[in-house]
Amino acid sequence: TTIMSAPAFAAIFTSCSTRFVSPVALFVYVNLILKAKKYVWIMTPYLILDEQLENALTLAAKSGIDVRIIIPHIPDKKLVFELSKSYAEKLILSGVKIFEFAPGFVHSKTVLVDGNMATVGTVNFDYRSLYLHFENGVFLYKCDCLKDIEEAYHIFENKLDGVIKIAITMEG
C-alpha cells in the first residue's frame, strides 16, 4: 500500500473580526500550535494574548513541544512592550522559551511549525490584529520556502550576542 502525502500549497487568509465574521487569523494560529508534534517557533513584535492563544501555547509547551517566541528587546511602543512582557511569566513557567532580539526591533510576524507548516503576514499576536484590524497572511504547507524561514530562526538563535533569553526568578 502506498501512502500519499498532501502536495505543497500556500493559502491566503484574511482576518477582520466583526459580529458577522470570525477571527480567522486567531483560528489559524491556534490550529497551527495545536497541530505541532515537535516545535512551534514564533516571531512577533507584540505579544498580547487572548485566553485561547495563551492556553494553546501553554498546552503545547506542557505537552513537550518546543515552543519559542522571539520578541523585540528595543520597543517601538513602550507600553505595548511592557504589556507583552507581562505574559512572559506564565508562559515561561509552562515551558515556553521567550527571547528578546537585542540588536533592534523585530517586526516579523511568522509562525513555523515542525518545519512543514508556517504563516507569514501582517497578523501580530495581539488583540488589535486578531479582533479589530483587517490583516492578511499566507499559510504555507510543505513549500520550499519553509527552509528559508527555518534558517532565519536559526540565524536569530545562533547570534548569541543578539538574543536574550527571558528567565523568571522565583523568590521563596
Side-chain angles (χ1 to χ4, degrees):
T1 308
T2 303
I3 299 174
M4 301 293 287
S5 66
F9 70 90
I12 297 169
F13 63 91
T14 60
S15 190
C16 179
S17 183
T18 67
R19 63 186 195 142
F20 303 110
V21 179
S22 299
V24 174
L26 173 67
F27 298 157
V28 170
Y29 282 167
V30 169
N31 277 296
L32 271 172
I33 294 163
L34 296 178
K35 295 249 185 258
K37 302 284 187 241
K38 298 176 189 167
Y39 65 86
V40 176
W41 296 345
I42 298 165
M43 261 193 251
T44 183
Y46 314 117
L47 185 67
I48 303 170
L49 305 174
D50 74 346
E51 187 176 9
Q52 292 176 73
L53 271 174
E54 187 174 49
N55 287 340
L57 289 165
T58 57
L59 177 64
K62 287 180 179 182
S63 299
I65 305 299
D66 177 17
V67 181
R68 300 178 190 192
I69 302 172
I70 298 174
I71 60 174
H73 180 68
I74 300 171
D76 65 337
K77 298 172 181 70
K78 187 71 171 161
L79 182 61
V80 174
F81 178 68
E82 293 303 322
L83 188 55
S84 292
K85 289 180 74 170
S86 74
Y87 287 89
E89 182 173 6
K90 183 175 181 182
L91 292 172
I92 291 169
L93 291 174
S94 73
V96 174
K97 297 170 199 79
I98 300 178
F99 301 88
E100 292 181 8
F101 181 67
F105 184 69
V106 171
H107 206 251
S108 176
K109 294 115 173 151
T110 61
V111 179
L112 179 65
V113 176
D114 296 339
N116 62 14
M117 294 182 287
T119 63
V120 177
T122 66
V123 187
N124 295 300
F125 271 70
D126 71 353
Y127 185 87
R128 289 174 59 166
S129 275
L130 296 169
Y131 292 100
L132 301 175
H133 292 168
F134 184 81
E135 302 282 358
N136 298 291
V138 178
F139 170 76
L140 304 162
Y141 179 74
K142 293 186 177 180
C143 297
D144 290 340
C145 65
L146 294 174
K147 294 176 191 124
D148 297 324
I149 296 170
E150 186 165 1
E151 181 61 28
Y153 279 94
H154 289 302
I155 289 169
F156 276 88
E157 182 180 271
N158 292 331
K159 197 171 185 180
L160 295 177
D161 61 337
V163 180
I164 301 167
K165 184 173 182 182
I166 300 175
I168 298 297
T169 304
M170 302 299 288
E171 295 181 17

